[in-house]
Amino acid sequence: MARHPESPDEIYAREEEPDEGWRRPPPVEGASLRAVVGEWSRKNLFSSIPNTILTVLCAWLLWETLLPLTQWGLLDAVWQTDDSAVCRAAEHGACWAFIANKYRFILFGLFPYDEQWRPLVAIALFVAALAVSCVPSFWRPWLVVLWLGVMVACGVLMWGGVFGLRFVENGRWGGLPLTLILAVVGIVCSFPLAIALALGRRSNLPAVRAICVGFIEFVRGVPLISVLFMASVMFPLFLPEGFTIDKLLRAQVGIILFTAAYLAEAVRGGLQAVPRGQSEAADALGLSYWRKTGLVILPQALKTSIPAIVNQFISMFKDTSLVIIIGLFDLLSTAKAALSDPPWRPFYVEAYLFAALIYWIFCFFMSRYSQFIERRFETGHRRS
Amino acid sequence: MGAGATGSGKAGPPRRAAGPAAGAWWNDRRVRAVFYQILVIGGVLLLVWFLVANTLDNLNQRNIATGFGFLHREAGFDISERLIDYTPADTYLRALVVGLLNTMLVSVLGVILATILGTIVGIARLSRNWLVAKVASFYVEIVRNIPVLLQLFFWYSMITEALPSPRQALNPLPGVFFSNRGMRFPVPEADPAWTYVAVAFLVGVGATWVFARWARAYQNRTGRIPPTLSVALGLILGLPLITYLAAGAPTAMNMPELRGFNFSGGTTVTPEFTALLLGLVVYTASYIAEIVRGGILAVSHGQTEAGLALGLHRGAVLRLIVLPQALRVIIPPLTSQYLNLTKNSSLAVAIGFPDLVSAANTTINQTGQAVEGIAIIMAIYLTVSLSISAVMNWYNRRIALQGAR
């Protein structure tokens, strides 16, 4: 029998089809809800004895965990109070009042309280720019201009000092804006470096290739934390006497170098997926290396590597939380710092859940987006 | 552009990929290639020289010694958890070795546990049982999208704040105590019998390996399947048991007891270690689950159907047909997850588990020799990463399709 090459999706679609489909009676018109539910649960929950045992076990576990969790998080929770004693009195309930009291600090850190609309607008700008960049038909040169504009606007908003805005040095930045800045600036700046590294890794020039492979494999072999340590303690030694850069910039450079190595591998995967004929055709047309790369190879390669790039962005977004270890004040640090207020110390679960929720929302939507792009571009470029 | 037309007339036999041939020598591709490479190498060397010169200058000005001589000085700081003997009077070198062993312990245990949990969750996500599949995918979607450091903080807080103090320690089994100082459980008193049992266990494992090889050859020759499982169980469990009984079956246990504010006796697993292991395993397992799921989906459904048609039951189909094929897809990404787990174990420094980075960090703070300290961390992680890659590549080649490249 001829076997057809199948994509995972097709296999999945077949997997969901019940094997005993032919034995099932045809659906009755206007079957009662009970019959439908009964049929469904027989098929999906109680199809065999081991399956029934699994279902019961699972349901029992869910019952045992979800019930106390709802009790704790919703029914017994304290929602609004300025007095932590009220929260401590409600022993078996969550203290969401802690979040209500501290959310400005967790979100914006030590940014001057009256000026916190500025980081808020900056976050909104970043998120809007990210949303716009997600639409494939907007991938035009003006998007680069838009991003530059957004960066400048955010810089103005965060630093101030012009247009009558008070100057805020970046030591006082913190919370979500800092996390977003580290992640977005990290990805934007590491992207050109990553492309250069990926091209260099596939170059015909042995010296260039060796340097690129060396850098990529070295960075990928060490933990981010050691790169951040290096950035925080060794960068000052690297620079000439009397020349200093601040902690935020140092961490940012570390993150950029680290991300570039991983991103280069994502781009390399895309480069490898471009059929050899494309490069040969460009050679036959007499295009120079740079025109061939810029006009023929890279557009195709980047398109295929978008899901990998987005995944890299997600992991970098999560990894920015590591800057807490070198003393920067990102979202995770502010959540932890909010707990150091003695009356509110016991409510660490609420603090971590709040920070986790913010991280989760960003990462979840990005991962959904990566899946969407993967499906959208799965047109004809896969070899069957 | 257009240069090709002028060049081709004089070039004699047309050469492939010679570009605008026979122009001036600087148009020769090979000359250009050499030139570009010299340029790149020169640039990199210049950068390195600039950085090294600056670093040496700065170190001189701050009167920081260079070199690894500090490794043999007295460390002076204590390490709470250690696999080998260590006191503050030992050298920095020994402190780093203690840290490295802790890192290895967490990594090895983490890799084993995360593989088990990840495989279970990955298979559960494909289960025909709706509830099981949904629970598994909720787990994956939630855990994957939260930074691992946040999860570590969470588990650490849960263990140190939610568990009672030693005086009110939970006591689920006699001799086992859970408190915010960690888990205490009894260990057998030292007795030569335990050494013999360990040796017997190793002998059992070795004998099982030999037997499995013979069993496969026997099955290939005759088609009959020897009772591998029961023989293996007999060798691995039975042999140590017989040794234990023969050595006099010592039953003396070192029981933990509450003395004052803490326990003494028994052995303890600290909250830091538990939190680190738990956080790394839970986080990495969510990635491994996706890898396992992808690997199983990549095996054509026809294979499953063919297996069922041969009369194998579902478990046997999964074990004998689907998993071996899925492994080929699974191994490469699994390798990078193992590497990630090993590298993420360096987050131990954030919750105070004395791993390599933590020991090196203390060393840097005490001696001021940041360059050497960070070089040591990086060199060790590079070695570990490259070794794991090498082992996994070797395994990947072993299970690759015969004849495929």
Side-chain angles (χ1 to χ4, degrees):
Chain A
M1 215 173 80
R3 283 226 348 255
H4 301 287
E6 288 165 306
S7 76
D9 284 353
E10 282 162 348
I11 299 167
Y12 194 64
R14 288 225 261 133
E15 189 92 345
E16 292 204 301
E17 238 168 46
D19 282 353
E20 298 85 8
W22 54 276
R23 251 191 271 168
R24 249 188 318 159
V28 188
E29 276 298 314
S32 74
L33 182 69
R34 233 183 107 205
V36 173
V37 169
E39 166 75 20
W40 180 87
S41 56
R42 218 180 352 272
K43 203 177 80 199
N44 292 301
L45 297 176
F46 307 106
S47 61
S48 63
I49 293 171
N51 240 339
T52 310
I53 296 173
L54 264 181
T55 306
V56 170
L57 205 68
C58 244
W60 176 75
L61 270 176
L62 283 178
W63 179 260
E64 282 289 298
T65 51
L66 288 186
L67 207 67
L69 220 59
T70 352
Q71 191 80 18
W72 174 82
L74 295 175
L75 302 179
D76 290 351
V78 179
W79 296 92
Q80 209 37 277
T81 173
D82 285 337
D83 185 9
S84 65
V86 178
C87 272
R88 285 166 192 261
E91 243 175 63
H92 298 291
C95 178
W96 302 120
F98 167 73
I99 304 294
N101 275 302
K102 296 281 185 187
Y103 75 95
R104 296 265 299 249
F105 177 73
I106 294 179
L107 283 178
F108 304 118
L110 294 172
F111 210 86
Y113 196 82
D114 302 329
E115 309 271 334
Q116 285 181 354
W117 61 271
R118 283 157 52 179
L120 186 65
V121 175
I123 293 175
L125 277 177
F126 266 134
V127 172
L130 277 176
V132 168
S133 331
C134 283
V135 184
S137 53
F138 290 162
W139 294 346
R140 300 259 171 273
W142 58 259
L143 200 62
V144 179
V145 182
L146 176 89
W147 268 106
L148 286 178
V150 167
M151 298 270 217
V152 171
C154 286
V156 168
L157 279 168
M158 296 297 289
W159 266 302
V162 283
F163 306 130
L165 294 172
R166 215 171 99 201
F167 176 72
V168 180
E169 82 257 11
N170 57 17
R172 303 193 66 179
W173 298 3
L176 186 57
L178 190 76
T179 295
L180 276 175
I181 288 173
L182 284 171
V184 172
V185 174
I187 200 96
V188 171
C189 295
S190 63
F191 198 57
L193 187 57
I195 291 178
L197 283 169
L199 288 175
R201 194 168 183 168
R202 288 171 58 82
S203 161
N204 292 324
L205 312 176
V208 176
R209 198 166 57 225
I211 288 171
C212 291
V213 171
F215 177 82
I216 292 173
E217 293 304 328
F218 172 74
V219 172
R220 277 160 45 92
V222 299
L224 174 58
I225 180 104
S226 66
V227 176
L228 287 176
F229 272 145
M230 189 174 100
S232 79
V233 292
M234 273 167 76
F235 278 8
L237 296 175
F238 284 162
L239 294 169
E241 183 65 26
F243 199 87
T244 52
I245 52 173
D246 73 328
K247 203 155 65 172
L248 176 60
L249 190 59
R250 275 182 273 158
Q252 183 75 74
V253 171
I255 287 180
I256 289 172
L257 291 179
F258 186 78
T259 311
Y262 282 85
L263 214 51
E265 288 297 277
V267 174
R268 182 167 75 112
L271 286 174
Q272 278 173 346
V274 177
R276 207 185 163 74
Q278 297 286 324
S279 158
E280 286 169 353
D283 279 338
L285 287 174
L287 295 183
S288 71
Y289 174 77
W290 292 111
R291 289 178 146 255
K292 174 176 82 175
T293 308
L295 297 174
V296 180
I297 308 293
L298 268 187
Q300 301 184 55
L302 289 184
K303 202 172 96 171
T304 21
S305 49
I306 287 171
I309 293 172
V310 177
N311 284 341
Q312 195 48 53
F313 188 64
I314 296 173
S315 75
M316 192 185 57
F317 186 79
K318 288 185 293 178
D319 280 348
T320 55
S321 58
L322 264 63
V323 296
I324 188 177
I325 295 171
I326 58 166
L328 284 177
F329 226 48
D330 76 320
L331 182 59
L332 183 53
S333 326
T334 50
K336 223 168 136 55
L339 288 172
S340 58
D341 191 4
W344 300 100
R345 273 211 57 173
F347 308 114
Y348 56 91
V349 176
E350 290 84 345
Y352 289 141
L353 279 183
F354 182 63
L357 182 70
I358 297 175
Y359 278 111
W360 187 84
I361 290 172
F362 274 94
C363 295
F364 181 74
F365 280 102
M366 285 190 282
S367 73
R368 277 295 129 109
Y369 173 70
S370 141
Q371 288 168 10
F372 155 77
I373 283 288
E374 207 162 346
R375 254 177 285 124
R376 190 189 148 110
F377 282 148
E378 210 172 72
T379 46
H381 273 275
R382 280 168 74 109
R383 289 204 210 167
S384 50
Chain B
M1 303 266 112
T6 51
S8 59
K10 295 177 241 167
R15 275 186 302 159
R16 217 154 67 87
W25 59 268
W26 58 81
N27 272 345
D28 189 332
R29 253 190 198 194
R30 278 164 305 177
V31 175
R32 284 192 165 198
V34 173
F35 172 71
Y36 286 140
Q37 296 189 60
I38 291 175
L39 211 66
V40 169
I41 293 178
V44 170
L45 285 181
L46 211 64
L47 183 72
V48 169
W49 174 78
F50 173 76
L51 296 180
V52 170
N54 278 330
T55 309
L56 289 180
D57 262 8
N58 282 320
L59 289 178
N60 271 336
Q61 276 190 347
R62 297 176 200 189
N63 281 327
I64 301 174
T66 49
F68 291 92
F70 70 94
L71 285 177
H72 301 292
R73 296 213 304 269
E74 189 180 304
F77 62 91
D78 201 9
I79 297 180
S80 54
E81 289 186 83
R82 55 206 173 223
L83 294 173
I84 53 173
D85 287 333
Y86 172 85
T87 60
D90 280 318
T91 59
Y92 283 115
L93 183 64
R94 194 161 176 93
L96 289 174
V97 171
V98 171
L100 175 62
L101 288 176
N102 280 339
T103 295
M104 304 262 251
L105 177 69
V106 166
S107 308
V108 170
L109 282 179
V111 160
I112 294 169
L113 295 177
T115 309
I116 296 171
L117 182 61
T119 311
I120 293 173
V121 175
I123 292 174
R125 253 196 112 168
L126 290 174
S127 165
R128 295 146 64 85
N129 187 318
W130 181 84
L131 196 61
V132 171
K134 276 288 170 262
V135 169
S137 59
F138 264 113
Y139 165 77
V140 169
E141 290 292 352
I142 289 175
V143 168
R144 249 157 80 93
N145 289 321
I146 295 173
V148 60
L149 187 59
L150 203 164
Q151 297 187 30
L152 288 182
F153 283 146
F154 178 79
W155 291 121
Y156 186 56
S157 298
M158 283 297 263
I159 292 171
T160 51
E161 311 249 341
L163 284 176
S165 67
R167 276 170 180 276
Q168 285 96 39
L170 302 177
N171 195 351
L173 291 169
V176 179
F177 296 95
F178 291 159
S179 72
N180 58 10
R181 302 278 181 89
M183 286 186 279
R184 275 269 168 179
F185 48 89
V187 282
E189 290 283 6
D191 191 299
W194 296 112
T195 324
Y196 305 147
V197 170
V199 170
F201 175 76
L202 289 180
V203 169
V205 171
T208 307
W209 184 72
V210 172
F211 179 75
R213 275 181 75 104
W214 173 83
R216 185 176 301 170
Y218 179 78
Q219 188 186 350
N220 284 344
R221 207 168 55 240
T222 62
R224 280 195 291 270
I225 305 175
T228 318
L229 187 68
S230 46
V231 172
L233 279 179
L235 283 172
I236 293 177
L237 297 180
L239 214 54
L241 190 69
I242 293 168
T243 320
Y244 171 75
L245 294 175
T251 51
M253 298 289 270
N254 187 354
M255 296 293 271
E257 268 176 276
L258 190 63
R259 291 243 180 84
F261 291 105
N262 210 343
F263 290 100
S264 67
T267 191
T268 183
V269 178
T270 61
E272 290 82 15
F273 179 81
T274 319
L276 183 65
L277 191 62
L278 194 63
L280 288 177
V281 166
V282 166
Y283 181 74
T284 314
S286 71
Y287 280 89
I288 293 181
E290 283 300 272
I291 292 169
V292 169
R293 186 174 81 106
I296 292 176
L297 282 181
V299 177
S300 160
H301 194 61
Q303 299 281 324
T304 313
E305 284 169 351
L308 290 175
L310 286 175
L312 298 173
H313 58 85
R314 286 201 162 265
V317 169
L318 188 70
R319 195 161 48 85
L320 296 174
I321 294 175
V322 178
L323 276 186
Q325 299 186 65
L327 264 188
R328 295 191 189 112
V329 185
I330 289 173
I331 292 294
L334 194 61
T335 311
S336 60
Q337 283 315 316
Y338 288 173
L339 291 175
N340 279 346
L341 189 144
T342 310
K343 286 184 279 176
N344 280 338
S345 73
S346 61
L347 297 179
V349 69
I351 55 170
F353 176 73
D355 78 323
L356 172 67
V357 173
S358 164
N361 200 23
T362 315
T363 306
I364 291 172
N365 289 337
Q366 288 189 1
T367 62
Q369 294 192 303
V371 181
E372 290 85 352
I374 290 170
I376 290 173
I377 300 179
M378 289 186 158
I380 289 177
Y381 272 102
L382 265 183
T383 317
V384 171
S385 298
L386 293 178
S387 324
I388 295 179
S389 297
V391 170
M392 293 302 276
N393 283 341
W394 168 80
Y395 183 62
N396 194 28
R397 247 178 288 125
R398 230 180 76 101
I399 62 165
L401 271 180
Q402 298 297 316
R405 63 169 197 103

